[in-house]
Each structure stands twice: as structure tokens, then as C-alpha cells.
Amino acid sequence: MKGQAFFRRFGYAMNGIITAFRRERSMRVHGIATLGVFAFLAITGAPLLWWVLITLAVGLVLVAEMANSALETLADLLHPGQHPEIGVAKDMAAGAVLIATIVAVVAGAAYLLR
């Protein structure tokens, strides 16, 4: 796997993103929300700084959701039965998504209240 050409590695990454959207309902929900947020920024004529801030916040949510999905997929494959420590790991990953979402909501609220 190591030492492969950039475009091959890029293809793997794109496949991961596409797979996440195909398999994970929450990724699709976040994706639709992202489109709504960007449409709102466009309609309201948001300055460039707000586009950057909101994009970073939304990107954080998407990254956290993909990491959560990857961890859950791997954990379920390695240990299909319930295990308390796997449950803890999954809960922590879900907590990361929640924190990222709260950060994004705060950024959006700051834009609305500016």
C-alpha cells in the first residue's frame, strides 16, 4: 500500500468519501445540511471570512462523522458481539461528532447574530 502514486491514493480517499455517503445515513443528512448552509451563506451574501469559518466548522463535522463511521465499521468487523469497551469507543467517537456539530452550530449562530 505504501509508496503508491498520488492519484491512486487520491482514488482510495475519494472511494472512502463516496462509500461513507452511500452507507451512512448520518453522512447523507450532514451532506444535505451542508448544502443548505452553503446556500444560506450565498443567499445572504456572507463575507469571505464567514465562508471560511463556516466551511471549517462544517468540514470538522464531516471529518468527525467519517472517523466515527470508520471506527464503528472496523469495530463491528473485529468484534461483532457486544463488548463494553467497544461500546465506550463508539460512544467516544459519537461524542466527537456531537462536539463538532455543536461547534458548527455556534459558528452558524455567531454568523446570524453578527
Side-chain angles (χ1 to χ4, degrees), residues 5-26:
F6 169 78
F7 288 109
R8 182 169 292 240
R9 293 188 320 261
F10 181 81
Y12 293 144
M14 288 303 299
N15 185 52
I17 294 168
I18 291 165
T19 300
F21 276 97
R22 283 186 179 154
R23 287 186 178 185
E24 300 295 329
R25 181 177 180 271
S26 50

Side-chain angles (χ1 to χ4, degrees), residues 11 14 27 38 41-42 46 58 61 64 66 73 76-77 79 99 102:
M14 288 303 299
M27 277 300 292
F38 289 156
L41 290 174
V58 166
V61 173
M66 284 190 66
T73 300
D76 290 345
L77 176 71
H79 198 287
I99 290 170
I102 291 168

Side-chain angles (χ1 to χ4, degrees), residues 29-41 58:
V29 169
H30 287 305
I32 291 168
T34 297
L35 294 175
V37 166
F38 289 156
F40 181 78
L41 290 174
V58 166

